[in-house]
Amino acid sequence: MPHWSVYTGDSEPHDGVDRLPPPPPWRAFDGEPVLPTPRDADDEAAVSPDRVHRARTYVAAPESVQLVNAALVLRRPLLVTGPPGTGKSSLAYAVARELRLGPVLRWNITSRSALSDGLYQYDPLSRLYAARQAAAWRAGASRGDLPGAGAANEASAAGADGVEDHLRLGPLGTALLPYDRPRVLLVDEIDKSDLDLPNDLLNVLEEGQYEIPELMRAARHSADAATAEVLADGTDTPVPVTRGRVRCRAFPFVVLTSNGEREFPPAFLRRCVRLKLRRPDHEQLTEIVRAHLATPPGEADHLITRFLNRAADGELATDQLLNALYLTGVAGLDPASRDALADELMPYLTPTADTDGF
């Protein structure tokens, strides 16, 4: 591999990201204060069996390895397109595990997703309610008719008006914090978004920074609010935000996945490294099966061939093959029954000329 490559695709964790070449001058960022990269154990959701398994068993094609490294060196988002079930989102987990970049920050896109959803969430109603509760407590305390008053309640009332108590950073907002290593941000199925989101997202990723107006206003009105402690996505540990401005230091490794359901603006495309995943062939499927099932059952080759033959006539996903191999392997069926069960587990994902759906 080229000397600038740090991701190998062999799934063995290492600290090679520390050897990443300096960024291009136009992609260098200097956010402060520098934050340590979280560990996987810091995010309980990151250690779910599904995510851990996908990270360990992902089989990366040479083209994927090369373009992941290109995105890391250039500090550019990686736009990954391809049919369902080709491992687009699993790539993000595999890179995070191998390069020890901490828990993956995941933003699942829908048609209603807006840029603000990814940056941070602020709840003004909860702040209003807390302020009213605090005012009522202070009034009661001044009259001396609060028998339960104590240091804990007094501290709660004193901080109830703080904006940061009602604000949490989203996955995008967290990824752009000034971490010492790049965080991994998975923006899943961006092709489902409305027309404006790709360009809105592009502007933030181009600048590597954003502002939180609520914190900026608080900082203007009070010197004590210049630095706010805000909860980041996926953790209950607060991080400092100074004067409402967030700027990255190590640009995050951003994976944008798309099933190809829409076209993206040229301005968006030219700022991304683009990776198109294709359906795996027989050799690649054999490697995938071996990675997921340790030692493939004796009938693996037969079912892989059957899967590829069926995939020539309609949309199928690799997950369906793995399900069929696992279930038929433990069912103890004769060959004819095994094939029939496998076909039931591998229906086409999109309508075909075959009206029975198989």
Side-chain angles (χ1 to χ4, degrees):
M1 294 192 299
H3 69 280
W4 44 264
S5 296
V6 295
Y7 172 63
T8 66
D10 64 7
S11 78
E12 288 298 323
H14 59 83
D15 294 314
V17 72
D18 294 333
R19 303 191 305 272
L20 197 65
W26 55 91
R27 299 297 294 162
F29 303 96
D30 57 359
E32 292 183 340
V34 182
L35 303 176
T37 302
R39 303 167 302 165
D40 282 343
D42 295 335
D43 179 6
E44 293 182 358
V47 296
S48 66
D50 175 61
R51 297 183 184 186
V52 171
H53 182 74
R54 280 194 288 170
R56 289 176 175 171
T57 59
Y58 185 78
V59 178
E63 182 184 14
S64 299
V65 173
Q66 183 179 45
L67 292 179
V68 164
N69 282 295
L72 285 166
V73 172
L74 295 173
R75 277 66 170 183
R76 290 291 186 184
L78 180 68
L79 176 60
V80 185
T81 60
T86 50
K88 297 186 294 295
S89 59
S90 297
L91 176 60
Y93 292 98
V95 173
R97 180 178 184 271
E98 181 180 324
L99 298 182
R100 293 176 175 162
L101 300 181
V104 173
L105 300 161
R106 182 166 185 156
W107 184 14
N108 296 313
I109 301 298
T110 70
S111 59
R112 299 181 300 277
S113 297
L115 180 65
S116 57
D117 300 326
L119 291 176
Y120 67 94
Q121 298 86 42
Y122 171 60
D123 189 349
L125 293 180
S126 71
R127 185 185 179 198
L128 177 62
Y129 177 77
R132 289 178 174 175
Q133 291 289 96
W137 185 89
R138 292 189 187 103
S142 65
R143 296 191 302 268
D145 57 0
L146 285 180
N153 286 336
E154 184 176 356
S156 176
D161 294 335
V163 176
E164 64 271 22
D165 294 330
H166 311 280
L167 189 150
R168 178 185 282 270
L169 301 183
L172 172 60
T174 300
L176 290 173
L177 287 167
Y179 288 109
D180 56 358
R181 286 184 173 188
R183 295 296 305 273
V184 177
L185 171 65
L186 172 60
V187 184
D188 207 20
E189 299 189 330
I190 191 173
D191 51 336
K192 290 184 176 180
S193 70
D194 68 17
L195 295 176
D196 295 328
L197 183 59
N199 280 335
D200 292 343
L201 178 62
L202 173 64
N203 291 333
V204 172
L205 293 178
E206 190 70 10
E207 298 296 328
Q209 61 185 12
Y210 65 97
E211 296 178 344
I212 303 176
E214 293 84 357
L215 295 181
M216 295 179 72
R217 284 195 295 269
R220 285 200 305 269
H221 293 126
S222 172
D224 294 337
T227 298
E229 297 287 328
V230 180
L231 293 180
D233 184 69
T235 179
D236 291 328
T237 302
V239 294
V241 174
T242 302
R243 307 197 70 83
R245 295 183 177 90
V246 176
R247 181 177 175 84
C248 72
R249 189 172 189 90
F251 187 78
F253 176 61
V254 182
V255 177
L256 310 162
T257 72
S258 168
N259 292 324
E261 296 180 1
R262 61 173 287 190
E263 296 292 331
F264 295 105
F268 177 81
L269 293 175
R270 72 182 177 88
R271 289 177 172 87
C272 296
V273 175
R274 299 165 66 180
L275 169 62
K276 184 174 182 179
L277 296 182
R278 296 171 177 81
R279 294 208 169 278
D281 57 21
H282 195 288
E283 181 180 354
Q284 291 171 317
L285 283 174
T286 301
E287 290 299 317
I288 291 171
V289 169
R290 182 176 292 113
H292 282 269
L293 299 177
T295 303
E299 63 273 12
D301 188 72
H302 170 73
L303 284 185
I304 289 173
T305 301
R306 191 176 185 87
F307 173 84
L308 289 171
N309 290 337
R310 290 170 55 76
D313 298 323
E315 192 82 19
L316 292 175
T318 307
D319 289 346
Q320 295 172 287
L321 171 63
L322 295 173
N323 289 337
L325 280 168
Y326 180 77
L327 187 56
T328 57
V330 300
L333 303 174
D334 60 82
S337 300
R338 184 178 63 233
D339 288 349
L341 177 58
D343 288 349
E344 291 286 345
L345 294 171
M346 297 189 295
Y348 293 125
L349 302 177
T350 55
T352 68
D354 192 344
T355 56
D356 65 2
F358 297 109

